[in-house]
Amino acid sequence: MGILTTYRLRLARKRWRIRAFRKRRELTPVVSRVMNIRASDLLLVSTIRNEKVRLPWFLRYYRDLGVNHFLFVDNDSDDGSREYLAEQADVSVWTTKHSYKRSRFGIDWVNWLLMRYAHGHWAVVVDPDEFLVYPFCDTRPLRALTDWLDASSIKSFPAMMLDMYPKGPISRSPYQEGQDPLDIAHWFDSGNYTMTKNPSYGNLWIQGGPRARMFFGDTPERAPALNKIPLVKWHRSYAYVSSTHMLLPRGLNFVYDEWGGEKASGCLLHAKFIDTFAAKAQEEMDRKQHYANSHEYRAYQEGMAASPDFWCKWSEKYINWRQLEILGLMSKGNWA
Amino acid sequence: MSVGFVMLCHTALDRAAQVARHWAAHGCPVVIHVDKRVRRRPFERMRRDLEGVADIRFSERFSCEWGTWGLVAATQAASSLMLHEFPGVRHVYLASGSCLPLRPVTELVAYLDGRPRTDFIESVTTEDVGWTVGGLNIERFTLRFPFSWRKQRRLFDGYVRLQRNLRFRRRIPKGLVPHLGSQWWCLTRQTLSAILESPDRAEHDRYFQRVWIPDESYFQTLVRQVSANVESRSLTLSKFDFQGKPHIFYDDHLQLLRKSDCFVARKIWPQADKLYRTFLSADLGKQAAAEPNPGKIDRLFAKAVERRTKGRAGLYMQSRFPKSNWENGMTAAPYSVFQGFADLFENFDIWLGKVAGTRVHGHLFAPDRVQYAGGETVYNGALSDSAGLRDYNPRSFLVSLIWNTRGERQCFQFGPDDVQDIAPFLARDPNAQISVISGAWAVPLFHANANFGEIRKEAARMQKIEAEYLDILRGANVKAKVRIWTLAEFVENPMEPLQTIIDEISPRSLRRVTEAPRMADLAGFGQFLQNLRNQGMQPVLMGDFPAGDDPRPQPSRRGRPYLVK
């Protein structure tokens, strides 16, 4: 990498940081309990809109992993999400009516909260339908992982998105508040992912899974990206560039080994496809606030209208992280 | 009171205190050294915590940066204090703050009582160690290291390089033979005091102060001078990963640790409550007086290191994406690619599946859709049959298919009518067994019901594509197992090549192939080629088929005229 590229990326990083700094004015605190954050706390940052149904399980899941404090940006919910979050003792909430799209799909807001509150902390950045699974997550808390990463001088931890879906049409098994969405959507595609290296940012570009299989057969280049780096030992000079797919400085994107070995990695179980999805897709279509002119949602809507069943006879039923490791979707690396 | 513990602590002081208390309660004196870099408050808390406990002492504090002399100075001070304060101690056991006893203290005492004059210290000559990271073995003793390896890596490396280039060498003091080994040892009073009270100690200390990582060499080297009975192994179970960092034990290692029969393990995660609760409890089950046997744990960690350095062959995923030539297996398993066979033989796939007992696909790279075996639309691992998805990244498609079907050999047809992008990858992959009957694509054309002008054009196109493919297969850096026959050669004697291929696919089936696939009718094929020539197209890839002289397979048993023997 030449000096010129380095400098260009440095400018890009500064630009994203300045942008995030300016977007801070869009956030109005609802409840701020940030003074309770202790130096060693694990943080979680998330942007939500009308996710009341999902939140109880989401909070429970990450509390069980050992997250100490949650930082939420509420993008103008009207279903009581904001009020619900404000009641939680380990949650700080900001709200905004500004455009999700013009905040680069929430990432400017997230960058700001990270810059302001997560400096020196391990931070998880996920959506409310994403559930982090990492090696030994059934026996070791998240803190064990971050301690190990610290000891190994690793600053970012990758977790590929794994789209989960139910068997049969998604509208068939309704989701109840507080329920584990993986009770309903526990099937996934085990081996139809494609990956290429992004030469400028160094991250891997992973696509595939049920969404590509069902909706993007003719336009595979438009299939959603599945590579994510949701767990980072944050420094205030870092910035997420595009969702949590890639970061700057680019060294944080080198979460894969290029010399034949396997680094440690996890998976983000993406329980998007439950019965709340159809309504969500419609709403997002109307708001036109999503990536690439909501192309993704348009494709879903067309697909959903026909026969919304992702399941096929080669779908795998989710059991635990060890299964994902054996299938080669994640790896323990040298953690044992 | 035959064994005393020296503990070097720098973090998780509460856990260290808990272990110290455990040892003291079982009658073993403990001397604790706390890193000078630990702040006053946590240190005072630990002191207060252990105030009432008899037989616990705190030694003079040194700053212990990794790889520096401070660790040795701390050990010396604490050991001296131990020998001085507790005259009853016969063995001194050096442990860290993140060590945990796995067996009752009485068992350790009994074990040491049985070996009253043995020094347990790993001590290996520099030529024999395989575990040093960074390639510094003997150079640890002959170069100077004024820069911090952790904080000034570039200066460190540069200075080492400079000294190498200048052939700089420090003189090793007379009589010393450099030895290395784990820093966690258990020495007898005699040995330890001989080292600490040696008349040459000042000289030794001065020398070792500038040795790289002296805590792995000071006692390990000097013990050879004074001890008559060195048992070169550590009583502490401590495993290192490929970067030289110690592996950490968690709650889920409980059963492994129990079965290891080791006396002390490090390093324990401070929040492994279950481990601390179990191993520090009073009613730790009495075990037979077994020798330490960390075999299982060794294997576990060896596997982790192998996974980190070599990975799983043929796997491409979010945290393993090898550069070209570093794949250590471009695909997960051997597979076979057949070109021209399905054109020449009728129902070749069914025949092959039966004879070789493998999965036989059609043209996986057909332009319209992926032709999986059995006409499936979705295949193993939920791979789609969409040509668009496949052609978006043909390489990912193929390696995924081979990875998903580990344990079952895959065969597929390939041909000039298919999407050719995958060809260079196939040629480079040592797992690919590629068999080509060149020019066989002309057989379906020969049978086709189409205008000759179209056939001629099609033939020219196919020939061009296949010629390019063959060029790739004949390239210089081809790693695949490639076999190429011309159509004429193959028709002459089809059984032998078929047998060779089948033997390679399933080497264990010793049966000869008895039933041969049925060959397409080639009567008039020579004339067909001549017609192409007459139209101005030169068919070259199928070999020599004289017009009018039709290839006649040896007539076999009556009634099955086209059966090839």
Side-chain angles (χ1 to χ4, degrees), chain B residues 119-141:
Chain B
D119 295 300
F120 295 93
I121 178 166
E122 193 187 11
S123 163
V124 187
T125 57
T126 49
E127 288 82 31
D128 301 326
V129 285
W131 44 260
T132 47
V133 172
L136 292 167
N137 286 338
I138 187 69
E139 286 175 321
R140 289 181 178 204
F141 298 92

Side-chain angles (χ1 to χ4, degrees), chain B residues 185-199:
Chain B
W185 43 250
C186 178
L187 297 179
T188 59
R189 170 179 286 270
Q190 276 193 9
T191 305
L192 191 55
S193 56
I195 293 174
L196 293 175
E197 290 159 15
S198 156

Side-chain angles (χ1 to χ4, degrees), chain B residues 388-436:
Chain B
L389 287 173
R390 176 200 64 202
D391 296 338
Y392 181 51
N393 194 334
R395 196 186 135 140
S396 272
F397 166 78
L398 183 64
V399 296
S400 297
L401 177 73
I402 304 297
W403 173 262
N404 295 342
T405 55
R406 280 163 294 160
E408 179 196 55
R409 187 174 180 120
Q410 306 292 307
C411 303
F412 64 92
Q413 320 299 328
F414 197 68
D417 217 14
D418 293 342
V419 182
Q420 298 285 312
D421 298 348
I422 194 68
F425 179 85
L426 293 177
R428 276 204 314 120
D429 183 6
N431 275 331
Q433 180 207 38
I434 305 178
S435 313
V436 182

